């Protein structure tokens, strides 16, 4: 092969492997003392406009202890992929360490997720997008739901923006400024991977339908099994949604996840694949499951799919799903599995199925 053709081939392969678009300026670190940086800060210190909303269990302090702590991390020893993971659940250090190792920035914001204890109980309300509207208001700080009042400074979007601005000043070595919009008024959401577990994965999915992001990674979710928002048109191309759940998880055995995945049209990108029986890249699918041994414990199964104490280890003490986690956050978007038809056993109308027969 001629040198010019070889160079062109390598260039094309490099562009294909990278999450950066051809028109996007690449991100580089210039840190003489490269290291992994970790940060913890209060949302109310970063942005004095932050307020508590005790009516939905959204607090800044409780019993004299801060409740609005936010965390972030970046490893400047690792070549950056130019993507920021925003995690919508409790702080998970093992997950933060891993995504940093993939070359990703990561942060967790304090946002209004306590409302679920008040509104997430059965029976479902008549509005089949009731919870979805609350999720969207909590994520955006815009008025989508009459049930809550969450202003912009207390929504996930603004809190993430304020946190990144703070990080850009506190840690210029980490190049957090790369995720700020050119006008400095928000984030470059097409450089964001929105992710969460359980309740957080459900909000991540609802947000990704509304706001185009680079990718949506959903652990043990999404749920809202009596709602229809999962089938709404998506601002984020649906090949950019990735999901992973355990088959003993109550959300799986109850049919909650399978319906959400099909309403999101993930069956267009491959079948459901058991990662314990099929090696990476899992047929390039977006729907991953595991039946790894969790001792028959459904609660452990629920959280076993994310890095942490519930995750399954092999005989050597290593997490068995390390390749899965990397796949979820870094698999090339254009590599997709073969479309399959919806599963007739996966009920879409769980609301109707849950109704008790008339006496």
């Amino acid at each position: 092969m001629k040198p010019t053709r070889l160079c062109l081939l390598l260039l094309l392969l490099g562009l294909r492997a990278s999450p950066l678009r051809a028109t996007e300026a690449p991100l580089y670190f210039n840190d003489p003392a490269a290291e992994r940086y970790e940060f913890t800060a209060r949302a109310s210190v970063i942005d004095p406009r932050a307020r508590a909303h005790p009516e939905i269990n959204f607090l800044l302090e409780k019993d004299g202890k801060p409740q609005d702590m936010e965390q972030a991390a970046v490893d400047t020893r690792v070549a950056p992929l130019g993507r920021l993971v925003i995690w919508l659940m409790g702080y998970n250090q093992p997950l933060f360490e891993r995504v940093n190792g993939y070359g990703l920035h990561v942060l967790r914001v304090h946002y209004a997720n306590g409302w679920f204890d008040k509104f997430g109980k059965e029976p479902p309300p008549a509005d089949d997008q009731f919870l979805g509207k609350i999720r969207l208001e909590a994520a955006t700080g815009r008025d989508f739901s009459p049930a809550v009042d969450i202003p912009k400074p207390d929504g996930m979007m603004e809190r993430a923006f304020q946190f990144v601005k703070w990080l850009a000043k506190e840690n210029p070595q980490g190049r957090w400024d790369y995720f700020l919009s050119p006008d400095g008024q928000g984030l470059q959401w097409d450089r964001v991977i929105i992710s969460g577990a359980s309740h957080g994965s459900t909000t991540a999915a609802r947000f990704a339908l509304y706001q185009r992001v680079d990718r949506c990674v959903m652990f043990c979710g999404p749920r809202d099994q009596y709602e229809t928002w999962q089938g709404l048109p998506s601002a984020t191309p649906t090949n950019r949604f990735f999901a992973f759940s355990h088959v003993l998880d109550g959300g799986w055995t109850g049919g909650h996840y399978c319906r959400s995945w099909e309403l999101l049209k993930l069956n267009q990108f491959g079948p459901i694949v058991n990662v314990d029986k099929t090696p990476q890249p899992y047929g390039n699918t977006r729907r991953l499951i595991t039946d790894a041994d969790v001792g028959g414990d459904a609660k452990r199964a629920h959280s076993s799919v994310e890095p942490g104490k519930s995750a399954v280890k092999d005989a050597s003490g290593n997490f068995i799903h390390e390749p899965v986690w990397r796949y979820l956050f870094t698999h090339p978007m254009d590599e997709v599995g073969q479309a399959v038809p919806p599963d007739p056993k996966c009920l879409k109308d769980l609301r109707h199925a849950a109704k008790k027969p008339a006496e």
Side-chain angles (χ1 to χ4, degrees):
M1 183 179 293
K2 293 182 179 181
T4 54
R5 291 184 179 179
L6 178 59
C7 290
L8 178 60
L9 177 60
L10 291 174
L11 176 61
L12 290 174
L13 288 174
L15 289 174
R16 187 170 183 269
S18 170
L20 301 180
R21 291 176 292 278
T23 57
E24 188 174 328
L27 174 62
Y28 299 101
F29 292 134
N30 183 19
D31 186 2
E35 62 177 285
R36 182 170 182 268
Y37 298 93
E38 295 182 288
F39 302 90
T40 300
R42 294 191 63 175
S44 56
V45 172
I46 292 172
D47 185 358
R49 299 174 301 163
R51 295 288 181 270
H53 299 270
E55 71 280 5
I56 54 171
N57 194 29
F58 184 43
L59 307 176
L60 299 181
E61 291 188 3
K62 183 178 181 180
D63 299 328
K65 298 180 180 179
Q67 300 296 302
D68 61 334
M69 304 306 296
E70 301 181 330
Q71 296 83 19
V74 63
D75 193 336
T76 60
R77 299 169 300 181
V78 181
L81 296 181
R83 294 295 179 263
L84 167 65
V85 177
I86 297 181
W87 178 247
L88 302 185
M89 209 55 197
Y91 176 54
N92 183 326
Q93 184 169 342
L95 181 137
F96 274 39
E97 292 172 347
R98 277 157 182 80
V99 297
N100 282 163
Y102 308 154
L104 299 167
H105 292 63
V106 61
L107 64 81
R108 170 191 171 270
V109 290
H110 172 253
Y111 82 108
N113 59 7
W115 58 265
F116 193 77
D117 289 338
K118 180 176 181 179
F119 296 111
K121 307 298 182 183
E122 298 185 23
D127 182 356
D128 64 4
Q129 294 188 25
F130 178 77
L131 296 178
K133 292 173 182 176
I134 300 177
R135 292 186 187 283
L136 204 50
E137 182 155 338
T140 65
R142 297 182 59 188
D143 186 15
F144 284 100
S145 169
V148 295
D149 182 13
I150 303 171
K152 181 178 178 179
D154 299 322
M156 179 276 293
M157 292 183 79
E158 184 68 10
R159 293 221 170 164
F161 167 52
Q162 295 296 331
F163 197 13
V164 171
K165 280 204 307 181
W166 182 87
L167 288 162
K169 293 179 180 179
E170 291 289 319
N171 181 226
Q173 307 95 316
R175 291 298 313 279
W176 298 90
D177 60 299
Y178 186 77
F179 305 107
L180 297 173
S181 62
D183 63 6
Q185 300 303 305
L187 294 183
Q188 295 248 113
W189 287 99
D190 60 349
R191 297 179 180 178
V192 168
I193 297 172
I194 197 78
S195 182
S198 191
H199 179 27
S201 76
T202 310
T203 297
R206 182 63 192 94
F207 179 71
L209 292 178
Y210 167 81
Q211 170 68 55
R212 178 169 178 139
V213 293
D214 179 72
R215 184 184 304 238
C216 179
V217 177
M218 306 169 293
F219 294 94
C220 48
R223 225 156 180 160
D224 288 359
Q225 62 269 21
Y226 301 127
E227 305 218 352
T228 60
W229 58 260
Q230 298 92 332
L232 291 174
S234 181
T236 302
T238 49
N239 65 310
R240 294 172 176 263
F241 288 75
F242 293 76
F244 182 37
S245 294
H246 196 290
V247 296
L248 293 184
D249 184 332
W252 179 261
T253 57
H256 307 168
Y257 303 158
C258 82
R259 73 174 292 274
S260 286
W261 294 357
E262 288 196 357
L263 287 172
L264 288 167
K265 301 179 178 61
L266 301 191
N267 57 295
Q268 295 179 354
F269 310 108
I272 294 171
V273 170
N274 187 325
V275 299
D276 304 316
K277 296 177 172 58
T278 302
Q280 190 181 7
Y282 316 115
N284 299 312
T285 192
R286 279 19 182 189
R287 300 180 295 165
L288 303 176
I289 59 170
T290 173
D291 59 3
D293 184 10
V294 292
D297 185 340
K299 289 185 177 180
R300 181 187 172 191
H302 183 63
S303 54
S304 69
V305 293
E306 59 177 296
K309 62 182 181 180
S310 295
V312 180
K313 296 180 179 180
D314 61 21
S316 300
N318 301 310
F319 289 123
I320 67 172
H321 291 140
E322 294 280 8
V324 182
W325 299 328
R326 182 180 289 273
Y327 175 91
L328 293 168
F329 285 100
T330 66
H331 185 67
M333 307 295 188
D334 60 344
E335 296 181 9
V336 300
Q338 185 173 355
V340 297
D343 182 354
K345 297 179 183 178
C346 180
L347 297 179
K348 306 300 185 300
D349 187 5
L350 291 180
R351 175 185 289 258
H352 183 267
K355 290 182 178 179
K356 295 180 180 181
E359 295 180 358

